[in-house]
Amino acid sequence: MNPYVVVTCRTEEKKSSTASGEGSDPEWNESFLFTITRGCDELHIKLMDENTFQDDDFLGEATISLEEVFREGEVGSTSHQLYKDDEECGSIRLGLTFTREERDECDEDY
């Protein structure tokens, strides 16, 4: 198995490296930076298996609310259930950090 993860926030999408040969217990230890705008309140995680001569296989997905990370600023490594065809099919652990962008006074609307 050659798994990778696609992380989506609204229309912005990021893809992890492929964990080649790591089987059913891959570890990526990667960071992704998203620009969060109003209305973006969840991340969508999709786990895929990379294939060379065929379409990649869908392994499972999770939707993660961003409410806690917005409130706390950081959420440590937490396990999230993955689903495929409405059935639990595994889990993925990830940590989240939210940093509010500082704005200059001249950026304020008058």
Side-chain angles (χ1 to χ4, degrees):
M1 188 175 333
N2 299 306
Y4 65 92
V5 176
V6 177
V7 183
T8 307
C9 186
R10 293 189 79 166
T11 59
E12 191 175 357
E13 185 175 280
K14 310 282 183 170
K15 180 184 171 199
S16 74
S17 61
T18 300
S20 298
E22 291 198 35
S24 61
D25 196 19
E27 186 173 314
W28 289 277
N29 200 19
E30 295 182 30
S31 296
F32 301 103
L33 179 65
F34 287 91
T35 301
I36 306 293
T37 58
R38 291 192 192 278
C40 181
D41 56 357
E42 61 187 24
L43 283 180
H44 184 77
I45 309 292
K46 187 165 49 170
L47 183 63
M48 302 293 291
D49 181 20
E50 186 175 75
N51 293 315
T52 304
F53 300 109
Q54 303 171 21
D55 289 341
D56 293 352
D57 297 320
F58 170 72
L59 300 175
E61 64 188 339
T63 300
I64 301 167
S65 171
L66 296 176
E67 182 179 324
E68 182 179 3
V69 74
F70 289 159
R71 187 178 59 250
E72 301 296 327
E74 186 171 342
V75 176
S77 183
T78 305
S79 184
H80 300 275
Q81 198 64 46
L82 294 169
Y83 294 90
K84 181 177 181 182
D85 300 326
D86 295 324
E87 298 281 329
E88 291 183 3
C89 63
S91 63
I92 188 167
R93 293 188 65 82
L94 60 108
L96 301 171
T97 302
F98 175 68
T99 304
R100 187 173 308 278
E101 182 180 76
E102 294 190 27
R103 297 173 61 138
D104 292 333
E105 286 183 29
C106 17
D107 288 342
E108 298 295 323
D109 293 330
Y110 293 102

